[in-house]
Amino acid sequence: MAKTVVAKSTDTLCGIAIREGFLNCNPLRAQEANKAYRTRELLAGDKVFVPDLRKTEEGRPTTDTHRFKRKRWPEPSLRFVRGSKTKVAAADATLTFLNISNFVTNQAGTSGTAAFPNGYGFHADADADSDTFKVEVVSPDGGAKIKVLLEALKPVYKADGTVEKWELFSGAEYAARKNEVELVPTKSDAKRYRSRYLRLVSDEADAAAVPAQTLLVTTMSDGLAGEHDKVEILDQHVRASYKLPGCKAAAPVCTVRAQLPVGENRKRCRIAIHVFRVAPGGALVAGLTNRALRLRVLKWFRRAYAQANIAPKFDGPGIEVLDPPWANMIAIANPHGSRTLGLSASGATSTISFDLGRVSQGAVLDWFHDTSVTVNLKPNMTPKAVCDAINAALPAGYRGRVFPNARKFNDLDPSCDIVITKADGTITVIRNEATTDLVLAGAGNLAVARVNLVNVDDSDADSEPTTPELRKILRSGTSADTRIDYFVIDRFASTTLRGVSFLASTHLPADQRNPAPLRWAGIMACNTTSGKVMDASDNLPFTFPHEAGHVLHDRFHADAADPNGPTEMMSGGGTTAANAANATKRICDDPIQVNYSQYNPAQPTQGAVNKVKVAATKGMRTRGAQTLEGW
Ligand SMILES: [Zn+2]
């Protein structure tokens, strides 16, 4: 009996024809009711009219058994699978999403260091990467080898940022994001074909490392804040298609397809970038542009973190441009929190004194003395008590904010900072600071943070901002504990230093943890002896992703002695200057775990560090959870 079939997304006219007993789609295409499908491919929901089969008679004796073979069988299909060691191919599960691989592209195995197998069939080393996949085609048309086209599909966004549909990339971008892969028959079923193990990769070097077994799924970011910047790796789809050689239609030939999303349990990481000007209202440090900073986040951070199913999202001020930090912060007893003696050399009550003034905002920066402040000290004052006394002594019109710092290991008290501003908003500058106190007169105990953006004092900077300059920088912008905040300067005093990050240090006792805004944050140089870090080039592509990884992971570096340590994004040997397949860019995921150093939660001795074997993806997604949000 003639009938109407409603097409599924995976259906073709040939497929429906074969299912209903026809040889190919021609009898269906011939139907007037189906004429729309003569010029376009079948879509989900299309109603296909299936005519009656034409009956023929075969003269054969009725007492024998006769075998009739269907000329074109079985019904064609295409799906993504991983394959398995023990099941027959038809029984293997069908994948519902694909992930960017976390492995070095030409490596595999539970060790992460075996060669990536390039044969067909099950291989334990390839299977160890849970992100590998294969394309499977059931073809009624046979052949020793068949070829399937893999393509990355670009999301097309609605005004509200959700995806409206997917389409092919175009031009050179399309050419880089497709791959024709070969399939051979499986052992258990001569008409069920499978590819080699395949991987999705998020940059060109990985795609070039194993061209026959990768599909590039990557950014098209240009930093211009337009449509190209919007395209997320984790919003893309991957499509596989196979044109049926047995289809007799002129065009379009029946093509079996499957399409899967990229990523699972996707998260967005909230980020703000704060960049300083050389002078008030002037150009950005190091000749930077907003475009360069946007590109660093939307290209290399996006590419690196796609393997952890995390994408960057500008939050709060997004990219915040700041005037240079002014010398309006006094640091007391940095870094060891010494207490006052309360006495001067002559045995008199000791004092702290300083001048307060302002700087004109004209073309020439001029100092105007406003007032002088003298604070009498008492014996045994903590740094916070000193800052409170300074605050209380400020003349009318000035305001102080007191910031106790984290207590350093083995110290009795933490150091403390006071930032002084003028209520009328003019730029406040502190000069001529001095103390007669016999303890505070010691090195570093009374310091005004005078930040030189081309020579920032980074002495002893580790996971804590140990110099007044670093803390002044971190207190210059609009920061939040619910995102990662990175400040961009020109250059550190250590000219090899590319960036430093300041951790929440959840493993430390509460008073030793960095207080806000000195945590979930970091400072990036632009100029280093190994070249530019935050400009619009591809130099040191993984340095900013690496620094962000410290705060997300609340951990230090991957162990260089670990077989996978040197290629981890969190490698301690310095991130690689140029992208490559073996660059420092992997974020290990189970079953690969890498030794990472962290503060020892037991703290058997103050500041003790231990090593833990962890999957870095999980570490970052759980320990950095307060900076992440759902997709
Ligand atoms: Zn590091």
Side-chain angles (χ1 to χ4, degrees), residues 253-411:
V253 173
C254 285
T255 304
V256 280
R257 292 201 167 98
Q259 182 174 326
L260 289 185
V262 175
E264 56 168 330
N265 194 9
R266 297 167 297 166
K267 299 282 183 194
R268 298 189 199 268
C269 177
R270 293 181 285 257
I271 295 179
I273 302 284
H274 314 267
V275 58
F276 290 102
R277 296 186 176 105
V278 174
L284 304 187
V285 292
L288 286 174
T289 58
N290 278 31
R291 184 200 159 209
L293 296 168
R294 199 178 301 111
L295 186 59
R296 283 281 171 173
V297 173
L298 297 182
K299 184 173 181 181
W300 291 107
F301 186 104
R302 200 181 244 164
R303 289 172 167 207
Y305 281 85
Q307 63 188 302
N309 283 313
I310 292 173
K313 176 193 177 182
F314 282 113
D315 183 59
I319 295 176
E320 183 179 36
V321 177
L322 300 167
D323 280 341
W326 293 101
N328 67 343
M329 188 186 97
I330 301 175
I332 298 294
N334 184 76
H336 290 299
S338 318
R339 295 189 180 187
T340 57
L341 190 67
L343 294 173
S344 70
S346 65
T349 295
S350 61
T351 61
I352 284 177
S353 58
F354 53 90
D355 293 338
L356 286 172
R358 62 196 158 84
V359 168
S360 76
Q361 295 205 49
V364 179
L365 299 179
D366 260 335
W367 156 265
F368 296 93
H369 179 264
D370 188 9
T371 184
S372 298
V373 179
T374 299
V375 185
N376 287 325
L377 302 176
K378 298 185 190 116
N380 206 34
M381 289 172 85
T382 64
K384 177 164 188 312
V386 173
C387 287
D388 287 340
I390 293 172
N391 201 10
L394 291 177
Y398 284 94
R399 189 171 85 97
R401 280 178 301 150
V402 173
F403 295 98
N405 296 310
R407 183 169 63 84
K408 289 283 285 178
F409 301 116
N410 299 319
D411 291 344

Side-chain angles (χ1 to χ4, degrees), residues 554-595:
D554 198 4
R555 287 193 171 108
F556 308 129
H557 287 132
D559 192 344
D562 193 297
N564 296 289
T567 50
E568 277 286 277
M569 188 177 77
M570 302 311 298
S571 158
T575 53
T576 35
N579 182 33
N582 64 354
T584 57
K585 61 181 174 183
R586 310 296 169 184
I587 307 176
C588 66
D589 197 3
D590 286 323
I592 304 296
Q593 299 194 340
V594 171
N595 257 329

Side-chain angles (χ1 to χ4, degrees), residues 203-269:
D203 70 53
E204 297 82 355
D206 282 352
V210 189
Q213 290 171 265
T214 51
L215 180 68
L216 180 63
V217 180
T218 192
T219 60
M220 53 190 309
S221 315
D222 54 17
L224 295 172
E227 293 303 309
H228 287 195
D229 280 351
K230 283 185 192 162
V231 175
E232 293 284 358
I233 292 172
L234 300 174
D235 273 334
Q236 293 180 34
H237 276 191
V238 170
R239 185 172 77 180
S241 16
Y242 172 63
K243 278 186 176 18
L244 290 167
C247 175
K248 299 302 175 201
V253 173
C254 285
T255 304
V256 280
R257 292 201 167 98
Q259 182 174 326
L260 289 185
V262 175
E264 56 168 330
N265 194 9
R266 297 167 297 166
K267 299 282 183 194
R268 298 189 199 268
C269 177

Side-chain angles (χ1 to χ4, degrees), residues 439-462:
V439 169
L440 290 194
N445 279 335
L446 173 67
V448 170
R450 294 193 171 88
V451 177
N452 178 354
L453 292 168
V454 297
N455 186 22
V456 170
D457 181 4
D458 55 87
S459 344
D460 201 27
D462 196 347

Side-chain angles (χ1 to χ4, degrees), residues 114 132 202 210 463 500 526 585-586:
T132 56
S202 64
V210 189
S463 63
V500 279
C526 188
K585 61 181 174 183
R586 310 296 169 184

